Amino acid sequence: MWKTVSKAALGAAVFGLIGGVSTAALAAPPTDWSQVPAKSVKLFYPGQSSYQWLRSKEHKRADKKTMKGDSCISCHEDEEMELGQKIVSGERLEPHPVKGKQAVIDLAVQAAHDADNLYFRFQWKTKNAYPGTAHPHWQFDGKAWKGMGWPQLHKKVWGEGQPAIYEDRLSMMIDDGSVPMFKEQGCWLTCHNGSRDMPKLAKTADVKAHPLLGKVLHKKDVRKYLPSSRTDKALSWNKTKSAEEIAKIKAAGGFVDLMHWRGHRSNPVNMSDDGYVLQYRLFDAGKKMFSKNWDKKAKQPKYMFDAKKVGFKSRTLDQIRDISQPSSIIAEQNAVKFDPKAGWKKGDMVPAYYVTRTGAKGSAADNNASKGTWKDGMWTVVWTRKLDTGHPEDDKIMKPGGVYTFGFAVHDDNITTRGHHVSWPMSVGIGAAADIKAVTLK
Ligand code: HEC
């Protein structure tokens, strides 16, 4: 049985002698992951299986037990393929089945830890023969810059045949026992009717007019939220508790951590984003690593590629999958201020977001060591998360010996919202027995 792994054996011996003084071991992920056992996690396609659907009569004979808080796997263990196939095919809970989409994605998860960090290595196969490193762009139509590229579930794609362009993602949700029922029902606590691409979609005007979501948070749509943030039994999107009540729940740790590694908007600067879910899916305090590349006043992009550095100022639709070239604008590396007089031709495209590592700040910039590489149809993402980020106000703080509940998800093949593949809630032990045990590096 695996108990502890010597860091030296993993090739990560980093003790050094400088002038006779021994330096402390540098916290680093294992260099030889083949020594760390891999858990195969089956992620399946959930479609519109919302919190409300799960508590309705349509969730046959299971609505009451789900309401009571029974765990999903108490009835659905090993049913990932069956559920995934029924939904992805459109037989249930999916009004716009995406052609060729997989029912299940096998996510290989390896985990290790030392005194400071939790290290993950994830591997999964992409459906496409290219990685999702591209994201929506601005495209010049001869006169103006217009949006180009949408996720598969967008009507522009399934209704009008426009190109599907959206980044690949890997995400994790974490709870430490503070959120009731998360251990049993995981991410399904956060997914509600009214949200983007879900039944009973909230109207933009109604969200904008909502006293909390619209007027305070300046949102135009509904995203994830936790049951504790709503006042009615149906947990309606618009029945929010007051800002003061929500602040109290947050201060008591009643939120889940949610982080995304993103193929276009974080990976190019070796980062993942950092957010949390309570009354909405929000980013942590500080500044995240990606921003809209749009100058509202001038109605044009803010930045373009620096041709002196990368050889081009823009791309075209048939170039964005060429992974030998950078696909993201990185403010401190390959960007220059957008020049409207640069001789733009119809079809020229500039990414709709830009990325920055040096501009990312505070708690939103905690995930500053995650790197994905794509080779032969497979992503490998190595992700370092500090056990204690120093930001307990919007992160889950972990400790060696602790066991936490995680939900994992992958967004594959140009998709967002319900089109991801998700795991049942799983336990992750920091050197402790669990569904996934992070081995202790010594
Ligand atoms: C008490 C047992 C039970 C629990 C607990 C339960 N389910 Fe179900 N679930 C069922 C049954 C039974 C069906 C209907 C199967 C059928 O119609 O063939 C079902 C159907 C589904 C379906 C639709 C696909 C299908 O096969 O019809 C989804 C999705 C689903 N459940 C997800 C969940 C999730 C997520 C949870 C946890 C939040 C959960 N279930 C909890 C018993 C349960």
Side-chain angles (χ1 to χ4, degrees), residues 7 10-12 28-33 35-36 111-113 119-120 382 439 441:
K7 255 204 175 170
L10 292 171
T31 49
D32 182 6
W33 280 96
Q35 303 292 308
V36 178
H113 80 97
Y119 306 104
F120 279 113
V382 175
V439 298
L441 302 173

Side-chain angles (χ1 to χ4, degrees), residues 290-306:
F290 62 90
S291 303
K292 268 252 168 78
N293 183 26
W294 189 243
D295 182 336
K296 261 195 198 161
K297 248 192 172 161
K299 295 202 174 68
Q300 63 188 31
K302 275 187 184 159
Y303 295 110
M304 58 187 190
F305 285 105
D306 185 348

Side-chain angles (χ1 to χ4, degrees), residues 279-292:
Q279 73 275 44
Y280 199 83
R281 170 164 86 75
L282 295 164
F283 288 103
D284 289 0
K287 190 142 178 29
K288 66 186 187 300
M289 66 290 313
F290 62 90
S291 303
K292 268 252 168 78

Side-chain angles (χ1 to χ4, degrees), residues 47-351:
Q48 294 184 332
S49 54
S50 66
Y51 183 96
Q52 288 74 17
W53 182 87
L54 290 160
R55 284 155 183 79
S56 75
K57 289 250 149 55
E58 282 177 66
H59 192 197
K60 283 180 198 147
R61 297 180 304 281
D63 49 336
K64 293 209 175 67
K65 288 203 165 154
T66 304
M67 246 179 266
K68 230 182 67 204
D70 281 18
S71 75
C72 309
I73 62 157
S74 68
C75 296
H76 289 297
E77 190 163 20
D78 296 330
E79 285 186 354
E80 294 92 346
M81 184 58 88
E82 205 184 312
L83 292 176
Q85 269 168 354
K86 256 196 206 169
I87 302 172
V88 86
S89 65
E91 195 185 323
R92 303 210 69 172
L93 293 163
E94 179 47 70
H96 296 290
V98 175
K99 217 177 136 208
K101 184 157 276 297
Q102 323 87 306
V104 160
I105 292 178
D106 276 307
L107 179 70
V109 183
Q110 292 165 280
H113 80 97
D114 53 27
D116 302 318
N117 295 314
L118 175 57
Y119 306 104
F120 279 113
R121 183 181 188 245
F122 300 102
Q123 291 189 299
W124 73 97
K125 289 199 178 106
T126 55
K127 194 196 106 193
N128 297 317
Y130 58 83
T133 54
H135 203 60
H137 283 65
W138 303 113
Q139 189 183 51
F140 193 59
D141 72 356
K143 282 188 195 136
W145 292 87
K146 303 260 172 71
M148 165 51 68
W150 294 268
Q152 299 264 20
L153 293 170
H154 199 289
K155 196 174 174 197
K156 292 243 189 210
V157 177
W158 54 259
E160 299 170 25
Q162 295 285 338
I165 307 173
Y166 221 79
E167 66 187 350
D168 287 348
R169 284 186 262 165
L170 170 89
S171 49
M172 298 193 255
M173 238 190 249
I174 314 177
D175 182 48
D176 57 0
S178 319
V179 173
M181 255 192 241
F182 192 82
K183 198 170 152 203
E184 289 79 22
Q185 303 187 353
C187 308
W188 282 271
L189 293 183
T190 68
C191 180
H192 300 273
N193 287 351
S195 299
R196 292 187 301 167
D197 290 332
M198 293 299 280
K200 303 188 178 157
L201 182 69
K203 291 199 185 79
T204 309
D206 294 344
V207 183
K208 280 176 149 177
H210 188 271
L212 180 68
L213 303 181
K215 300 295 176 197
V216 178
L217 297 176
H218 307 293
K219 302 301 178 189
K220 297 180 201 152
D221 59 21
V222 177
R223 303 199 184 176
K224 294 180 172 58
Y225 56 86
L226 286 179
S228 63
S229 66
R230 297 304 193 266
T231 54
D232 64 332
K233 193 161 172 251
L235 301 184
S236 314
W237 72 264
N238 56 350
K239 299 283 193 297
T240 56
K241 287 189 182 161
S242 70
E244 297 73 47
E245 285 171 290
I246 288 166
K248 255 190 220 156
I249 299 169
K250 185 169 175 238
F255 58 87
V256 290
D257 213 327
L258 174 59
M259 313 176 278
H260 292 78
W261 167 90
R262 298 166 178 272
H264 183 85
R265 291 182 289 177
S266 77
N267 192 47
V269 292
N270 294 356
M271 296 183 83
S272 295
D273 76 21
D274 196 358
Y276 68 96
V277 179
L278 178 51
Q279 73 275 44
Y280 199 83
R281 170 164 86 75
L282 295 164
F283 288 103
D284 289 0
K287 190 142 178 29
K288 66 186 187 300
M289 66 290 313
F290 62 90
S291 303
K292 268 252 168 78
N293 183 26
W294 189 243
D295 182 336
K296 261 195 198 161
K297 248 192 172 161
K299 295 202 174 68
Q300 63 188 31
K302 275 187 184 159
Y303 295 110
M304 58 187 190
F305 285 105
D306 185 348
K308 284 199 225 94
K309 298 218 173 108
V310 298
F312 51 83
K313 63 181 189 297
S314 62
R315 320 243 63 202
T316 56
L317 194 54
D318 57 359
Q319 290 172 336
I320 58 167
R321 301 297 179 190
D322 174 3
I323 56 170
S324 69
Q325 302 291 344
S327 67
S328 303
I329 290 186
I330 304 174
E332 60 270 23
Q333 261 179 38
N334 62 17
V336 285
K337 198 166 171 279
F338 180 83
D339 175 6
K341 298 202 180 79
W344 298 106
K345 290 195 291 293
K346 191 175 169 186
D348 286 345
M349 284 165 55
V350 173

Side-chain angles (χ1 to χ4, degrees), residues 407-421:
F408 300 100
V410 160
H411 289 77
D412 177 61
D413 181 22
N414 304 292
I415 208 132
T416 188
T417 61
R418 68 175 190 263
H420 55 356
H421 289 74

